[in-house]
Structures are given as structure tokens and as C-alpha cells.
Amino acid sequence: MTEGTKGYAKPADLPDDVRDHLGSLLIVLADNKRLLGMRYSDWLLGAPALEAGIACSAMAQDEWGHGRILYAMLRDFGYEANQLEHEREASEYRNMELLDGPAGEWPDLLALNLLLDTALSVQFEAMAESRFEPVHYKVSKLLDEERFHFEHGRGWVTRLGSTDAGREALRRSFRPVWEACLRWFGPDGDEAGRALHQAGITDKDAAGLRARWLERVGPVVEAGQLELAEMDGGGSGVWLSRVEPSWDGWDPDVRRGARGGPDADMLARVRGDKNRPLLMD
Amino acid sequence: MKEMNFAAVLAESLGEGRVLPSPPEWTKPPADLAEKCRRALYEVSDPEFLISLVDLGLIYGISADERSGEVAVRLTFTATACPCTDFIKWDIRERLLQLPEVSDVKVEEVWDPPWTTSRISDRGREILQDAGIAIIG
């Protein structure tokens, strides 16, 4: 938050449209964090190296912690945190489609790790100086914890990308995730992105966030020769996608292409159905 | 498991089995209720380490209304996914409510500034080092 600018201490202080957009964004982020954590947890055992399994365990915990904080914040937006976390149907979730089902192979998980996790971090980073104080005061801790997630993804891409077979596997896994992440920020001129930016809740609109994400992941996928990004040949230093996202069926409210949500197994796990007797306050 | 009220069992077990190093030896009485509360929290441990919440640097502030006895504690955690958040909050409430001047305790979770090991007190570092835990930073 820039010194001298007026902050918003609680959701009720926000203009109505901004409050709605921000509440919606926080659900999107919370759901993606929660589901991504579950996907990391699928690899606690069976990752290619013991260290990778341990890293997945740590990353899963981080994502669940972030989800917990976000769901709790939504109480002040008029939502019931317990209902959001434990009682929704699959179609009410606002996670990226990519997280509906399991990451089948290790390169699929790496694509989520490097591309999707970084997209979420870019969205948080945009709120580091947010005028909405409850978010502003939490983001630096979240980003602190996210730093090693990116390094983990980068390390693995660099390593696998150095071999022909590894590179081919990465190309197959990264392409769909790349397209989904490009789209996740919303189209240029997206109404919610513009409203949040203009109100000082974020420091970039949808196009700006996408550019920041490309700047972050572009050099890594280019070094891995994944043929997804390139630097602008005009010398601007801007990273460009070599793939254009499709906006067919895009639903800006849930920030995904089609309503659906986690598959039955994942839904039961993410809601904690099996452990309902253990649920506490 | 279905017949057991897990939350009630946990609540009943609060404070059991914790053996903490003695709190510092105070040479003066506490200046006010907030300070008295702070001193009391030297007797509440982190569930994973034998070190008080104060020495671990998790207590970011305490305010107390001397007349009503209402106390507000600003608390952070070492990580957002700390698995012991509820235990810690319960233990704080339980200990402070033992003070006759305290009528109510509210615990506010805060994340700014982010906790780092630099917030561990010198006393806390000594206790951890004696237990074989090296502190980096």
C-alpha cells in the first residue's frame, strides 16, 4: 500500500462492485490453493526421488495453510467458512480445470508446480501493496513460503529438459497447463481485473498479470526448450507466448472454461468427508 | 470414533503433559495487566518445541482493559500451515483465564511482519541449542 493512500480495513468499506470482485477472486484463489495442495500430496510417495516427495509434502502443507487463511478471510465477505471448506458440491468449486483430476505423471505435476503455482503467486504478488488491508498484511508471508516452490519447479525442468526424452515428456505435460494458465488471468480488458486494479486492490489488470507471469516462467521454459515462450525479438525484453489461449466457453465468474469441479474422489478428500467426526470449530 | 466428541476430548486434555523450562526470574512486579499476561505466556509452550511462545517470538502484542479484564493477544505462527494453530490458541486462552483479573481473551492471528528465526529470543536460542536444535539466522 502506497504511503498516504487510503486503505480499506474491511470488506464493508469497499465499493460494492469491488467487494464482489474481490470476494470472488479470494474464493478462486482459496479453491486453487486447496486443490493444488491435494495434488502435491498425491506425490508424497512415489515421486522420482525421496527429496522430491519431501518437497511435495512441504508444498502441500503450504498450499493448505494458504487456503485456510483465505477461507477464513471470506467470513468478512459474508461467507460461512465451514460451508465453503466442507459442504460445497463439486460444481461450486472455482479451481482451474487442471486440478479436477490427478496429475498422472511426474512431468504433469511439474507443470502444475512451475506454471500454475506461479500463476497463483503472481496474483498474490499483485496484492502485496493492496489497499485492502486484510490481504496486504498477509501476502508477504504467503510469498515467502512460495519462493521455494518456484525453485523446485525450475530445478526439475532444467534437469529433465537437458535430455531428449525428458524434454519431450515436459512438452507434452506443459502445453495444456500453459494454455490454461495464460487464460486464467482473464482476457485483456477483463472487467473484474480492471475494477480491482483501478481500486488499488491489485497493481496490475489481467493483461499486466499475464505479462508478469510470462516474465517469470518464460525464461525457464525457454531454457528447457519447451517451445512455449520467446523473448520479443525487438529488444523490448518482453516475454511473449508462442501459444494463443482459446477463450471458448470462458466463464469469468469461476475463471475456468466449464463448470465442473473436482472429481468424486478429490471432492471427498478436499471436503474431509471421511474425517467429519474430527472436524472442530 | 463416531461416538466420541473429539473436540471435547482435546479441550479436556489441554495443558496436559507439558514441561517447560522455568520462566525468567522477574525482579519487578508487572507494570500492568498486559505485562502480567505476557509474563504468564512464558508458561505456554509451542507444542513442537520446549520453548515458550514468547521466546519463540510468536506473540506480536498484548492489550488489556484493566477495568473489564478483556485481553487481546496478537499472535503469529512460524508457518501458515502450522498444524498446531488451534492448540496454541486454546493454551493461550486457558493460561490467561487463570489470572483472576482476566475475564475474556481474544486471540487475533496476524502475519505481518512474517515470522523468521530472528524473532527467537536469546533465552529461547539457548534453550533450543541445549536441546540440540541449531538456529540458522
CSV table of all heavy atoms in Angstrom, one decimal, chain A residues 220-274:
chain,number,residue,atom,x,y,z
A,220,VAL,N,12.4,-19.9,-17.9
A,220,VAL,CA,12.6,-21.3,-17.5
A,220,VAL,C,12.1,-22.2,-18.6
A,220,VAL,O,12.9,-23.2,-18.9
A,220,VAL,CB,11.8,-21.6,-16.2
A,220,VAL,CG1,12.1,-23.0,-15.7
A,220,VAL,CG2,12.1,-20.6,-15.1
A,221,VAL,N,11.0,-22.0,-19.2
A,221,VAL,CA,10.5,-22.9,-20.3
A,221,VAL,C,11.4,-22.8,-21.5
A,221,VAL,O,11.5,-23.7,-22.3
A,221,VAL,CB,9.0,-22.8,-20.6
A,221,VAL,CG1,8.2,-23.1,-19.4
A,221,VAL,CG2,8.7,-21.4,-21.1
A,222,GLU,N,11.9,-21.6,-21.7
A,222,GLU,CA,12.7,-21.4,-22.9
A,222,GLU,C,14.1,-22.1,-22.7
A,222,GLU,O,14.6,-22.8,-23.6
A,222,GLU,CB,13.0,-19.9,-23.1
A,222,GLU,CG,13.8,-19.5,-24.3
A,222,GLU,CD,13.2,-20.0,-25.7
A,222,GLU,OE1,12.1,-20.5,-25.6
A,222,GLU,OE2,13.9,-19.9,-26.7
A,223,ALA,N,14.6,-22.0,-21.5
A,223,ALA,CA,15.9,-22.7,-21.2
A,223,ALA,C,15.7,-24.2,-21.4
A,223,ALA,O,16.6,-24.9,-21.8
A,223,ALA,CB,16.4,-22.4,-19.8
A,224,GLY,N,14.5,-24.7,-21.0
A,224,GLY,CA,14.2,-26.1,-21.2
A,224,GLY,C,13.8,-26.5,-22.6
A,224,GLY,O,13.4,-27.7,-22.8
A,225,GLN,N,13.8,-25.5,-23.5
A,225,GLN,CA,13.4,-25.8,-24.9
A,225,GLN,C,12.0,-26.4,-25.1
A,225,GLN,O,11.8,-27.3,-25.8
A,225,GLN,CB,14.5,-26.7,-25.6
A,225,GLN,CG,15.9,-26.1,-25.6
A,225,GLN,CD,16.9,-27.0,-26.2
A,225,GLN,OE1,16.8,-27.4,-27.4
A,225,GLN,NE2,17.9,-27.4,-25.4
A,226,LEU,N,11.1,-25.8,-24.3
A,226,LEU,CA,9.7,-26.3,-24.4
A,226,LEU,C,8.9,-25.7,-25.4
A,226,LEU,O,7.7,-26.0,-25.6
A,226,LEU,CB,9.1,-26.2,-23.0
A,226,LEU,CG,9.8,-26.9,-21.8
A,226,LEU,CD1,8.9,-26.9,-20.6
A,226,LEU,CD2,10.3,-28.3,-22.2
A,227,GLU,N,9.4,-24.7,-26.1
A,227,GLU,CA,8.7,-24.1,-27.3
A,227,GLU,C,7.4,-23.5,-26.9
A,227,GLU,O,6.4,-23.6,-27.6
A,227,GLU,CB,8.5,-25.1,-28.4
A,227,GLU,CG,9.9,-25.7,-28.9
A,227,GLU,CD,9.7,-26.8,-30.0
A,227,GLU,OE1,8.6,-27.3,-30.1
A,227,GLU,OE2,10.7,-27.0,-30.7
A,228,LEU,N,7.4,-22.8,-25.8
A,228,LEU,CA,6.1,-22.2,-25.3
A,228,LEU,C,6.3,-20.7,-25.2
A,228,LEU,O,5.3,-20.0,-25.3
A,228,LEU,CB,5.8,-22.7,-23.9
A,228,LEU,CG,5.4,-24.2,-23.9
A,228,LEU,CD1,5.4,-24.7,-22.4
A,228,LEU,CD2,4.1,-24.4,-24.5
A,229,ALA,N,7.5,-20.1,-25.1
A,229,ALA,CA,7.7,-18.7,-24.9
A,229,ALA,C,8.9,-18.3,-25.6
A,229,ALA,O,9.9,-19.1,-25.8
A,229,ALA,CB,7.7,-18.4,-23.4
A,230,GLU,N,9.0,-17.0,-25.9
A,230,GLU,CA,10.2,-16.4,-26.5
A,230,GLU,C,10.2,-15.0,-26.1
A,230,GLU,O,9.2,-14.3,-25.9
A,230,GLU,CB,10.2,-16.6,-28.0
A,230,GLU,CG,9.0,-15.9,-28.7
A,230,GLU,CD,8.8,-16.3,-30.1
A,230,GLU,OE1,9.6,-17.0,-30.6
A,230,GLU,OE2,7.8,-15.9,-30.7
A,231,MET,N,11.5,-14.4,-26.1
A,231,MET,CA,11.6,-13.0,-25.8
A,231,MET,C,11.3,-12.2,-27.1
A,231,MET,O,11.7,-12.7,-28.2
A,231,MET,CB,13.0,-12.7,-25.3
A,231,MET,CG,13.1,-11.3,-24.7
A,231,MET,SD,14.7,-11.0,-24.1
A,231,MET,CE,14.6,-11.5,-22.4
A,232,ASP,N,10.6,-11.1,-26.9
A,232,ASP,CA,10.3,-10.2,-28.1
A,232,ASP,C,11.6,-9.9,-28.9
A,232,ASP,O,12.6,-9.4,-28.3
A,232,ASP,CB,9.7,-9.0,-27.5
A,232,ASP,CG,9.4,-7.9,-28.6
A,232,ASP,OD1,9.3,-8.3,-29.8
A,232,ASP,OD2,9.4,-6.7,-28.3
A,233,GLY,N,11.6,-10.2,-30.1
A,233,GLY,CA,12.8,-10.0,-31.0
A,233,GLY,C,13.1,-8.5,-31.2
A,233,GLY,O,14.3,-8.2,-31.6
A,234,GLY,N,12.3,-7.6,-30.8
A,234,GLY,CA,12.5,-6.2,-31.0
A,234,GLY,C,13.4,-5.6,-29.9
A,234,GLY,O,13.6,-4.4,-30.0
A,235,GLY,N,13.8,-6.4,-29.0
A,235,GLY,CA,14.7,-5.9,-28.0
A,235,GLY,C,14.0,-5.2,-26.8
A,235,GLY,O,14.7,-4.6,-26.0
A,236,SER,N,12.7,-5.4,-26.7
A,236,SER,CA,12.0,-4.8,-25.6
A,236,SER,C,12.2,-5.5,-24.3
A,236,SER,O,11.9,-5.0,-23.2
A,236,SER,CB,10.5,-4.8,-25.9
A,236,SER,OG,10.0,-6.1,-25.9
A,237,GLY,N,12.7,-6.8,-24.4
A,237,GLY,CA,12.9,-7.6,-23.1
A,237,GLY,C,11.6,-8.2,-22.7
A,237,GLY,O,11.6,-8.8,-21.6
A,238,VAL,N,10.5,-8.1,-23.4
A,238,VAL,CA,9.2,-8.6,-23.0
A,238,VAL,C,9.1,-10.1,-23.5
A,238,VAL,O,9.5,-10.4,-24.6
A,238,VAL,CB,8.1,-7.8,-23.7
A,238,VAL,CG1,6.7,-8.5,-23.4
A,238,VAL,CG2,8.1,-6.4,-23.1
A,239,TRP,N,8.6,-10.9,-22.6
A,239,TRP,CA,8.4,-12.3,-22.9
A,239,TRP,C,7.0,-12.5,-23.5
A,239,TRP,O,6.0,-12.0,-23.0
A,239,TRP,CB,8.6,-13.2,-21.7
A,239,TRP,CG,10.0,-13.4,-21.3
A,239,TRP,CD1,10.8,-12.6,-20.6
A,239,TRP,CD2,10.9,-14.4,-21.8
A,239,TRP,NE1,12.1,-13.1,-20.5
A,239,TRP,CE2,12.1,-14.2,-21.3
A,239,TRP,CE3,10.7,-15.5,-22.7
A,239,TRP,CZ2,13.2,-15.1,-21.6
A,239,TRP,CZ3,11.7,-16.4,-23.0
A,239,TRP,CH2,13.0,-16.1,-22.4
A,240,LEU,N,7.0,-13.3,-24.6
A,240,LEU,CA,5.8,-13.5,-25.4
A,240,LEU,C,5.5,-15.0,-25.4
A,240,LEU,O,6.4,-15.8,-25.4
A,240,LEU,CB,5.9,-13.0,-26.8
A,240,LEU,CG,6.3,-11.5,-27.0
A,240,LEU,CD1,6.6,-11.2,-28.4
A,240,LEU,CD2,5.2,-10.6,-26.5
A,241,SER,N,4.2,-15.3,-25.4
A,241,SER,CA,3.8,-16.7,-25.5
A,241,SER,C,3.8,-17.1,-27.0
A,241,SER,O,3.4,-16.3,-27.9
A,241,SER,CB,2.4,-16.9,-24.9
A,241,SER,OG,1.9,-18.2,-25.2
A,242,ARG,N,4.2,-18.3,-27.3
A,242,ARG,CA,4.2,-18.8,-28.6
A,242,ARG,C,2.9,-19.5,-28.9
A,242,ARG,O,2.6,-20.1,-29.9
A,242,ARG,CB,5.4,-19.8,-28.9
A,242,ARG,CG,6.7,-19.0,-28.8
A,242,ARG,CD,7.9,-19.9,-28.6
A,242,ARG,NE,8.2,-20.7,-29.9
A,242,ARG,CZ,9.3,-21.3,-30.1
A,242,ARG,NH1,10.3,-21.3,-29.2
A,242,ARG,NH2,9.5,-22.0,-31.2
A,243,VAL,N,2.0,-19.5,-27.9
A,243,VAL,CA,0.7,-20.2,-28.0
A,243,VAL,C,-0.4,-19.1,-27.6
A,243,VAL,O,-0.2,-18.4,-26.7
A,243,VAL,CB,0.6,-21.3,-26.9
A,243,VAL,CG1,-0.7,-22.0,-27.0
A,243,VAL,CG2,1.8,-22.3,-27.2
A,244,GLU,N,-1.4,-19.1,-28.4
A,244,GLU,CA,-2.6,-18.2,-28.1
A,244,GLU,C,-3.6,-19.0,-27.3
A,244,GLU,O,-4.0,-20.1,-27.8
A,244,GLU,CB,-3.2,-17.7,-29.4
A,244,GLU,CG,-2.4,-16.5,-29.9
A,244,GLU,CD,-2.3,-15.3,-29.0
A,244,GLU,OE1,-3.3,-14.9,-28.4
A,244,GLU,OE2,-1.2,-14.8,-28.9
A,245,PRO,N,-4.1,-18.5,-26.2
A,245,PRO,CA,-5.1,-19.2,-25.5
A,245,PRO,C,-6.5,-19.1,-26.2
A,245,PRO,O,-6.7,-18.2,-26.9
A,245,PRO,CB,-5.2,-18.5,-24.1
A,245,PRO,CG,-4.8,-17.1,-24.4
A,245,PRO,CD,-3.7,-17.2,-25.5
A,246,SER,N,-7.3,-20.1,-26.0
A,246,SER,CA,-8.6,-20.1,-26.6
A,246,SER,C,-9.6,-19.6,-25.5
A,246,SER,O,-9.5,-20.0,-24.3
A,246,SER,CB,-9.1,-21.5,-27.0
A,246,SER,OG,-10.5,-21.6,-27.1
A,247,TRP,N,-10.5,-18.7,-25.9
A,247,TRP,CA,-11.5,-18.2,-24.9
A,247,TRP,C,-12.8,-18.9,-25.0
A,247,TRP,O,-13.8,-18.4,-24.4
A,247,TRP,CB,-11.6,-16.7,-25.0
A,247,TRP,CG,-10.3,-16.0,-24.8
A,247,TRP,CD1,-9.4,-15.6,-25.7
A,247,TRP,CD2,-9.6,-15.8,-23.5
A,247,TRP,NE1,-8.2,-15.1,-25.1
A,247,TRP,CE2,-8.4,-15.2,-23.7
A,247,TRP,CE3,-10.0,-16.1,-22.2
A,247,TRP,CZ2,-7.5,-14.8,-22.7
A,247,TRP,CZ3,-9.2,-15.7,-21.1
A,247,TRP,CH2,-8.0,-15.1,-21.4
A,248,ASP,N,-12.9,-19.9,-25.8
A,248,ASP,CA,-14.2,-20.6,-26.0
A,248,ASP,C,-14.7,-21.1,-24.6
A,248,ASP,O,-14.0,-21.8,-23.9
A,248,ASP,CB,-14.0,-21.8,-26.9
A,248,ASP,CG,-13.8,-21.4,-28.4
A,248,ASP,OD1,-14.1,-20.2,-28.6
A,248,ASP,OD2,-13.5,-22.3,-29.2
A,249,GLY,N,-15.9,-20.7,-24.3
A,249,GLY,CA,-16.6,-21.2,-23.1
A,249,GLY,C,-16.1,-20.6,-21.8
A,249,GLY,O,-16.4,-21.0,-20.7
A,250,TRP,N,-15.2,-19.6,-21.9
A,250,TRP,CA,-14.6,-19.0,-20.7
A,250,TRP,C,-15.7,-18.4,-19.9
A,250,TRP,O,-16.5,-17.6,-20.3
A,250,TRP,CB,-13.6,-17.9,-21.2
A,250,TRP,CG,-13.1,-17.1,-20.0
A,250,TRP,CD1,-13.3,-15.8,-19.7
A,250,TRP,CD2,-12.2,-17.5,-19.0
A,250,TRP,NE1,-12.7,-15.4,-18.6
A,250,TRP,CE2,-11.9,-16.4,-18.1
A,250,TRP,CE3,-11.5,-18.7,-18.7
A,250,TRP,CZ2,-11.1,-16.5,-17.0
A,250,TRP,CZ3,-10.7,-18.8,-17.6
A,250,TRP,CH2,-10.5,-17.7,-16.8
A,251,ASP,N,-15.7,-18.7,-18.6
A,251,ASP,CA,-16.6,-18.2,-17.6
A,251,ASP,C,-15.9,-17.3,-16.6
A,251,ASP,O,-15.2,-17.8,-15.8
A,251,ASP,CB,-17.3,-19.3,-16.9
A,251,ASP,CG,-18.4,-18.8,-15.9
A,251,ASP,OD1,-18.4,-17.6,-15.6
A,251,ASP,OD2,-19.3,-19.6,-15.6
A,252,PRO,N,-16.0,-16.0,-16.7
A,252,PRO,CA,-15.2,-15.1,-15.9
A,252,PRO,C,-15.5,-15.2,-14.4
A,252,PRO,O,-14.6,-15.0,-13.5
A,252,PRO,CB,-15.5,-13.7,-16.4
A,252,PRO,CG,-16.8,-13.8,-17.1
A,252,PRO,CD,-16.8,-15.2,-17.6
A,253,ASP,N,-16.7,-15.6,-14.1
A,253,ASP,CA,-17.1,-15.7,-12.6
A,253,ASP,C,-16.3,-16.8,-11.9
A,253,ASP,O,-16.0,-16.6,-10.7
A,253,ASP,CB,-18.6,-16.0,-12.5
A,253,ASP,CG,-19.4,-14.8,-12.9
A,253,ASP,OD1,-18.9,-13.7,-12.9
A,253,ASP,OD2,-20.6,-15.0,-13.3
A,254,VAL,N,-16.1,-17.9,-12.6
A,254,VAL,CA,-15.4,-19.0,-11.9
A,254,VAL,C,-13.9,-19.2,-12.5
A,254,VAL,O,-13.2,-20.0,-12.0
A,254,VAL,CB,-16.1,-20.3,-12.1
A,254,VAL,CG1,-17.4,-20.3,-11.3
A,254,VAL,CG2,-16.5,-20.6,-13.5
A,255,ARG,N,-13.6,-18.3,-13.4
A,255,ARG,CA,-12.3,-18.3,-14.0
A,255,ARG,C,-11.9,-19.7,-14.5
A,255,ARG,O,-10.8,-20.2,-14.3
A,255,ARG,CB,-11.2,-17.7,-13.1
A,255,ARG,CG,-11.4,-16.2,-13.0
A,255,ARG,CD,-10.5,-15.6,-12.0
A,255,ARG,NE,-9.2,-15.5,-12.5
A,255,ARG,CZ,-8.3,-14.6,-11.9
A,255,ARG,NH1,-8.6,-13.9,-10.9
A,255,ARG,NH2,-7.0,-14.6,-12.4
A,256,ARG,N,-12.8,-20.4,-15.2
A,256,ARG,CA,-12.5,-21.6,-15.9
A,256,ARG,C,-13.4,-21.8,-17.1
A,256,ARG,O,-14.3,-21.0,-17.3
A,256,ARG,CB,-12.6,-22.8,-14.9
A,256,ARG,CG,-14.0,-22.9,-14.2
A,256,ARG,CD,-14.0,-24.0,-13.2
A,256,ARG,NE,-14.1,-25.3,-13.9
A,256,ARG,CZ,-13.7,-26.5,-13.4
A,256,ARG,NH1,-13.2,-26.6,-12.2
A,256,ARG,NH2,-13.9,-27.6,-14.1
A,257,GLY,N,-13.1,-22.8,-17.9
A,257,GLY,CA,-13.8,-22.9,-19.2
A,257,GLY,C,-15.2,-23.5,-19.0
A,257,GLY,O,-16.1,-23.2,-19.8
A,258,ALA,N,-15.4,-24.4,-18.1
A,258,ALA,CA,-16.7,-25.0,-17.9
A,258,ALA,C,-16.9,-25.4,-16.5
A,258,ALA,O,-15.9,-25.7,-15.8
A,258,ALA,CB,-16.7,-26.3,-18.8
A,259,ARG,N,-18.1,-25.3,-16.1
A,259,ARG,CA,-18.5,-25.7,-14.7
A,259,ARG,C,-18.2,-27.2,-14.6
A,259,ARG,O,-18.4,-27.9,-15.5
A,259,ARG,CB,-19.9,-25.4,-14.4
A,259,ARG,CG,-20.3,-23.9,-14.5
A,259,ARG,CD,-20.2,-23.2,-13.2
A,259,ARG,NE,-20.5,-21.7,-13.5
A,259,ARG,CZ,-20.7,-20.9,-12.5
A,259,ARG,NH1,-20.6,-21.3,-11.2
A,259,ARG,NH2,-20.9,-19.6,-12.8
A,260,GLY,N,-17.7,-27.6,-13.4
A,260,GLY,CA,-17.5,-29.0,-13.3
A,260,GLY,C,-17.0,-29.2,-11.8
A,260,GLY,O,-17.8,-29.5,-11.0
A,261,GLY,N,-15.7,-29.0,-11.6
A,261,GLY,CA,-15.2,-29.1,-10.3
A,261,GLY,C,-14.4,-30.4,-10.1
A,261,GLY,O,-14.4,-31.3,-11.0
A,262,PRO,N,-13.9,-30.6,-8.9
A,262,PRO,CA,-13.1,-31.8,-8.6
A,262,PRO,C,-13.9,-33.1,-8.8
A,262,PRO,O,-15.1,-33.1,-8.6
A,262,PRO,CB,-12.8,-31.6,-7.1
A,262,PRO,CG,-13.3,-30.3,-6.7
A,262,PRO,CD,-14.1,-29.7,-7.7
A,263,ASP,N,-13.2,-34.1,-9.2
A,263,ASP,CA,-13.8,-35.4,-9.4
A,263,ASP,C,-14.2,-36.0,-8.0
A,263,ASP,O,-13.9,-35.4,-6.9
A,263,ASP,CB,-12.9,-36.4,-10.1
A,263,ASP,CG,-11.6,-36.7,-9.4
A,263,ASP,OD1,-11.6,-36.7,-8.1
A,263,ASP,OD2,-10.6,-37.0,-10.1
A,264,ALA,N,-15.0,-37.1,-8.0
A,264,ALA,CA,-15.7,-37.5,-6.8
A,264,ALA,C,-14.7,-37.8,-5.7
A,264,ALA,O,-14.8,-37.5,-4.5
A,264,ALA,CB,-16.6,-38.7,-7.1
A,265,ASP,N,-13.6,-38.5,-6.1
A,265,ASP,CA,-12.6,-38.9,-5.1
A,265,ASP,C,-11.9,-37.6,-4.5
A,265,ASP,O,-11.8,-37.5,-3.2
A,265,ASP,CB,-11.5,-39.7,-5.8
A,265,ASP,CG,-10.3,-40.0,-4.9
A,265,ASP,OD1,-10.5,-40.6,-3.8
A,265,ASP,OD2,-9.2,-39.6,-5.2
A,266,MET,N,-11.6,-36.7,-5.3
A,266,MET,CA,-10.9,-35.5,-4.8
A,266,MET,C,-11.9,-34.7,-4.0
A,266,MET,O,-11.5,-34.1,-3.0
A,266,MET,CB,-10.4,-34.7,-6.0
A,266,MET,CG,-9.9,-33.3,-5.7
A,266,MET,SD,-8.5,-33.4,-4.4
A,266,MET,CE,-7.3,-34.2,-5.3
A,267,LEU,N,-13.2,-34.6,-4.4
A,267,LEU,CA,-14.2,-33.8,-3.6
A,267,LEU,C,-14.3,-34.4,-2.2
A,267,LEU,O,-14.3,-33.6,-1.2
A,267,LEU,CB,-15.5,-33.9,-4.3
A,267,LEU,CG,-16.6,-33.0,-3.7
A,267,LEU,CD1,-16.3,-31.6,-3.8
A,267,LEU,CD2,-18.0,-33.3,-4.3
A,268,ALA,N,-14.3,-35.7,-2.1
A,268,ALA,CA,-14.5,-36.3,-0.8
A,268,ALA,C,-13.2,-35.9,0.1
A,268,ALA,O,-13.3,-35.6,1.3
A,268,ALA,CB,-14.6,-37.8,-0.9
A,269,ARG,N,-12.1,-35.9,-0.6
A,269,ARG,CA,-10.8,-35.7,0.2
A,269,ARG,C,-10.7,-34.2,0.6
A,269,ARG,O,-10.4,-33.8,1.7
A,269,ARG,CB,-9.6,-36.1,-0.6
A,269,ARG,CG,-9.5,-37.6,-0.8
A,269,ARG,CD,-8.4,-37.9,-1.8
A,269,ARG,NE,-7.1,-37.4,-1.4
A,269,ARG,CZ,-6.1,-37.2,-2.3
A,269,ARG,NH1,-6.3,-37.5,-3.6
A,269,ARG,NH2,-4.9,-36.8,-1.9
A,270,VAL,N,-11.1,-33.3,-0.4
A,270,VAL,CA,-10.9,-31.9,-0.1
A,270,VAL,C,-11.9,-31.4,0.9
A,270,VAL,O,-11.6,-30.5,1.6
A,270,VAL,CB,-10.9,-31.1,-1.5
A,270,VAL,CG1,-12.3,-30.9,-1.9
A,270,VAL,CG2,-10.1,-29.8,-1.4
A,271,ARG,N,-13.1,-32.0,0.9
A,271,ARG,CA,-14.1,-31.6,1.9
A,271,ARG,C,-13.8,-32.2,3.3
A,271,ARG,O,-14.4,-31.8,4.3
A,271,ARG,CB,-15.5,-31.9,1.4
A,271,ARG,CG,-15.9,-31.3,0.2
A,271,ARG,CD,-17.4,-31.3,0.0
A,271,ARG,NE,-18.0,-32.7,0.1
A,271,ARG,CZ,-19.2,-33.0,-0.3
A,271,ARG,NH1,-19.9,-32.1,-0.8
A,271,ARG,NH2,-19.6,-34.2,-0.1
A,272,GLY,N,-13.0,-33.3,3.3
A,272,GLY,CA,-12.8,-34.0,4.5
A,272,GLY,C,-13.9,-34.9,4.9
A,272,GLY,O,-14.2,-35.1,6.1
A,273,ASP,N,-14.7,-35.4,3.9
A,273,ASP,CA,-15.8,-36.2,4.2
A,273,ASP,C,-15.5,-37.4,5.2
A,273,ASP,O,-16.3,-37.6,6.1
A,273,ASP,CB,-16.4,-36.8,2.9
A,273,ASP,CG,-17.1,-35.8,2.0
A,273,ASP,OD1,-17.2,-34.6,2.5
A,273,ASP,OD2,-17.5,-36.1,0.9
A,274,LYS,N,-14.4,-38.0,4.9
A,274,LYS,CA,-14.1,-39.2,5.7
A,274,LYS,C,-13.8,-38.8,7.2
A,274,LYS,O,-14.0,-39.7,8.1
A,274,LYS,CB,-12.8,-39.9,5.1
A,274,LYS,CG,-12.5,-41.3,5.6
A,274,LYS,CD,-11.4,-41.8,4.8
A,274,LYS,CE,-10.8,-43.0,5.4
A,274,LYS,NZ,-9.5,-43.4,4.7
